[in-house]
Amino acid sequence: MDETGKLKRALIDATAGAISGGISRSVTSPLDVIKIRFQVQLEPTSSWAFPRGDFYRPSKYTGILQATKDIFREEGLKGFWRGNVPALLMVMPYTAIQFPVLHLVKTVASGSSKSEDHMHLSAYLSYVSGALAGCAATVGSYPFDLLRTILASQGEPKVYKNMRSAFMDIVQRRGIRGLYAGLTPTLIEIIPYAGLQFGTYDTFKRWSMAWNTWREGDEDGDVSLSSFQLFLCGLASGSSAKAICHPLDVVKKRFQIEGLRRHPKYGEMVEGGAYRNMNDALRQILGREGWAGLYKGIYPSIIKAAPAGAVTFVAYEYFSDWFASLLP
């Protein structure tokens, strides 16, 4: 492929990735807000969820339905899209970086820039390609991820009125480095998460194509996947990746809000310097909150991950093909 062709492919991947990421994030924002509220809540969600009696106050949120009712009653419908602007500013460049890098890595690995040739990569190379793409996208968009978490975790009354006030407070309290608080556990999380998401997506696509070939009984026929099949592949890959990597996401959220102000009615705040490193955070969460602490927010996370993965992949495939047909 010549330089013009490579530039065209990168532009298509970046644009389709940004659009698909924006659509997915907006659609699943309510579940993301609920998930974050659980993850940053130090108090246990039920009496059996912790091994020690360190907590004496009840938790703000105890279940998905209860959290949904409370957020709607206290913050209205807009509460479910709290932090969505920085989330969009995060996810659109994230996916705009992720898909071109993924295509580039697969091109290098397969020796071909054609998407159909990428399907013949081994499962191992699919996982590695996804992990590398996820790391590149994470570093490029991380400050917006941090701001999204902080704004989504606060309720009413607000501590931060908008993204700018949160940004200024972080810089004043932590310095510029504070915008990358929690980056290490995020990268450690994104390697298996992105690897699993893209690796399993490719695997499910191969299985679906083999199924289509068997069903049609014509190995030389058209084995392209329907939108519904792509949806199912994205659904399965997003769910499995999130289920495995959720504890690391909890740790990341704790680092992101560490030392930042939090209204008392939403529970105990994470004190500055509470965790020395990721291992210490895991140990403390296990010690104070039990295994359930590492899986706070797992239900809305799984419920969100399935449609988020499905919408992202379907929208990307659709817009990628559409832009390719428009550009000469």
Side-chain angles (χ1 to χ4, degrees):
M1 182 182 287
D2 58 21
E3 291 301 319
T4 302
K6 292 179 181 178
L7 181 61
K8 172 186 171 182
R9 183 69 250 180
L11 178 63
I12 290 172
D13 287 337
T15 306
I19 293 174
S20 64
I23 293 172
S24 175
R25 175 61 62 180
S26 295
V27 168
T28 59
S29 178
L31 289 167
D32 198 47
V33 169
I34 294 172
K35 179 199 74 168
I36 290 174
R37 297 290 176 91
F38 277 108
Q39 288 178 322
V40 301
Q41 181 174 261
L42 300 186
E43 293 79 8
T45 56
S46 60
S47 60
W48 57 266
F50 60 100
R52 296 167 53 190
D54 289 351
F55 296 103
Y56 297 95
R57 60 175 295 169
S59 58
K60 172 70 174 172
Y61 303 113
T62 57
I64 295 178
L65 291 178
Q66 178 268 331
T68 302
K69 292 177 182 177
D70 272 16
I71 293 172
F72 183 73
R73 184 181 69 252
E74 297 172 358
E75 306 168 46
L77 195 61
K78 66 179 181 181
F80 294 105
W81 277 267
R82 194 178 296 280
N84 195 49
V85 172
L88 288 174
L89 292 175
M90 179 272 292
V91 77
M92 294 183 76
Y94 180 94
T95 47
I97 295 170
Q98 185 181 43
F99 282 104
V101 172
L102 180 70
H103 189 273
L104 176 63
V105 175
K106 286 186 173 182
T107 297
V108 172
S110 66
S112 171
S113 61
K114 296 180 180 179
S115 298
E116 51 267 28
D117 292 333
H118 295 174
M119 292 304 300
H120 300 300
L121 287 174
S122 66
Y124 169 76
L125 287 175
S126 291
Y127 282 88
V128 171
S129 299
L132 291 175
C135 287
T138 296
V139 174
S141 61
Y142 189 78
F144 292 112
D145 185 19
L146 178 75
L147 291 169
R148 180 279 307 253
T149 296
I150 291 168
L151 293 178
S153 66
Q154 67 174 0
E156 293 287 349
K158 295 179 182 178
V159 174
Y160 302 108
K161 294 181 179 179
N162 49 45
M163 189 167 61
R164 182 180 179 278
S165 65
F167 175 84
M168 295 303 296
D169 189 59
I170 292 169
V171 173
Q172 289 174 2
R173 289 171 177 266
R174 300 173 172 175
I176 295 297
R177 290 182 60 186
L179 295 173
Y180 289 88
L183 179 60
T184 298
T186 301
L187 288 174
I188 294 173
E189 174 206 4
I190 204 65
I191 290 173
Y193 178 75
L196 283 168
Q197 186 181 35
F198 284 98
T200 53
Y201 180 70
D202 285 346
T203 298
F204 288 129
K205 280 182 69 175
R206 282 192 288 269
W207 289 350
S208 299
M209 291 173 72
W211 163 259
N212 286 355
T213 300
W214 176 82
R215 185 181 60 184
E216 297 296 331
D218 182 8
E219 295 187 1
D220 298 324
D222 180 15
V223 293
S224 60
L225 304 182
S226 66
S227 295
F228 181 68
Q229 286 178 312
L230 291 173
F231 181 85
L232 291 179
C233 290
L235 195 78
S237 63
S239 300
S240 58
K242 183 58 71 175
I244 293 171
C245 301
H246 187 80
L248 293 172
D249 193 41
V250 172
V251 172
K252 178 185 83 171
K253 294 297 191 297
R254 298 292 177 87
F255 274 105
Q256 288 181 327
I257 66 163
E258 187 181 40
L260 296 178
R261 293 174 292 168
R262 180 175 173 83
H263 195 277
K265 81 173 184 178
Y266 289 94
E268 183 181 348
M269 68 173 282
V270 180
E271 299 293 339
Y275 308 122
R276 292 192 302 273
N277 50 46
M278 193 178 71
N279 287 336
D280 183 54
L282 286 168
R283 183 184 59 79
Q284 287 197 45
I285 293 172
L286 276 173
R288 297 191 70 195
E289 304 167 50
W291 282 100
L294 292 175
Y295 287 91
K296 282 181 176 176
I298 184 64
Y299 296 124
S301 181
I302 291 293
I303 295 171
K304 172 217 163 190
V311 170
T312 298
F313 283 118
V314 171
Y316 169 75
E317 300 269 6
Y318 173 80
F319 283 108
S320 179
D321 291 341
W322 185 55
F323 288 134
S325 69
L326 291 178
L327 295 177

